[in-house]
Amino acid sequence: MSRRGVAAGGIAAVAGGLGGLALGGGPAAAGGGVRLDRMRLVSLSHVNDPATTNVFPGDPPFRFRTIATIPDDGYLLHYVEEGEHTGTHWGAPGHFNTGEPLADELDPSDLFLPAVKVDVREQCRDDPDYAVSVEDLKAWERRHGRIPDGAMVVLWTGWDAKWGTDAYPNADAEGVMHQPGFGLPAVRWLVDTGRLGRTGGTGTDTFSPDVGTDETYAVSKLVYQEHRISLEVLGNLAALPETGAWVLAGGPIHRHGAGSTATIFAFVPTD
């Protein structure tokens, strides 16, 4: 069988296996299951490039160099040196909380979640320190319906358009970053009402779910509990619909890892 045939067969098998899952992970109503053969695949990741990749202040520098070439060695190979959370990445619960699961202790299902996108670009346009509120989330639900339990709640702040420039970290003269994020009451509401659940998470096109000026990482410490994860430095969020998509966080699983630099995919309904 060709590679294409193997891939198609694998996708069909996964799609069939997911056909009985509802958006929130429970038994599906008739016709309400997840069908991967009725979805298109889009990437929500930036390309990692040392010339453009913004690195979180204090993280190791990102280096990428050629160590073998086809003319000299018969093959092409590069050496990559970076922090686990360089560029688009996901974080494991143990990234901020001692005793919580690390990358190799998660199940694959912890990295495959129903997604909603909350567009707060207008609020963030003139306020780079904007903290998304409970009212923002309730207003979203009035338009789109309840956020499903165990969801990946993704903020679209507009910061994905700033990637690769000094406007992305948006540091002031004292070196303090100014990026929007979730307000702590909003995340506590998501957790307390089950919308994040034990295995949901938050996503953002900025460095962190925290507002950039909060150096206590209060939101991250709350998000990264149980089996919840965080998707960070997301790109191409225009391709992610407000509802109906699922996200899958890829990348290497390191022993005792705090997460992984990643290609994060969205499965978007074709209809």
Side-chain angles (χ1 to χ4, degrees), residues 42-207:
V42 299
S43 172
L44 301 182
S45 294
H46 296 286
V47 173
N48 263 7
D49 178 355
T52 58
T53 295
N54 297 111
V55 176
F56 188 84
D59 278 8
F62 175 29
R63 298 186 178 97
F64 183 90
R65 59 186 175 91
T66 303
I67 60 173
T69 66
I70 293 174
D72 292 339
D73 307 287
Y75 60 93
L76 178 65
L77 188 66
H78 300 98
Y79 180 79
V80 182
E81 184 179 3
E82 61 182 357
E84 287 177 303
H85 291 181
T86 296
T88 302
H89 64 274
W90 59 270
H95 178 40
F96 270 96
N97 298 302
T98 301
E100 298 289 358
L102 294 168
D104 57 315
E105 298 171 311
L106 295 175
D107 295 324
S109 59
D110 294 326
L111 305 177
F112 185 53
L113 299 168
V116 302
K117 181 180 74 176
V118 181
D119 185 349
V120 290
R121 289 175 297 164
E122 183 177 350
Q123 295 95 311
C124 300
R125 189 170 292 118
D126 298 320
D127 184 0
D129 300 319
Y130 188 77
V132 171
S133 67
V134 175
E135 180 51 38
D136 287 324
L137 299 175
K138 289 182 176 180
W140 185 94
E141 289 195 336
R142 288 193 289 270
R143 293 190 298 272
H144 302 288
R146 190 186 188 279
I147 295 170
D149 290 350
M152 171 57 60
V153 181
V154 176
L155 293 187
W156 189 17
T157 72
W159 246 247
D160 51 348
K162 305 175 188 287
W163 180 248
T165 72
D166 290 341
Y168 188 82
N170 196 30
D172 61 23
E174 283 72 43
V176 176
M177 287 194 307
H178 296 273
Q179 292 186 335
F182 287 90
L184 184 58
V187 175
R188 192 169 300 283
W189 178 78
L190 288 169
V191 170
D192 290 346
T193 60
R195 285 162 169 82
L196 287 193
R198 182 174 177 270
T199 59
T202 55
T204 178
D205 51 3
T206 66
F207 275 134

Side-chain angles (χ1 to χ4, degrees), residues 15 38 55 83 145-146 159-160 194 201 205 212 214 219 227 231 247 255 262:
R38 296 179 184 173
V55 176
R146 190 186 188 279
W159 246 247
D160 51 348
D205 51 3
D214 182 7
V219 165
H227 274 61
L231 308 182
V247 290
R255 183 70 66 191

Side-chain angles (χ1 to χ4, degrees), residues 5-24:
V6 170
I11 290 173
V14 174
L18 289 173
L21 290 180
L23 185 63

Side-chain angles (χ1 to χ4, degrees), residues 259-271:
S260 179
T261 185
T263 302
I264 295 173
F265 297 102
F267 293 82
V268 178
T270 56
D271 55 0

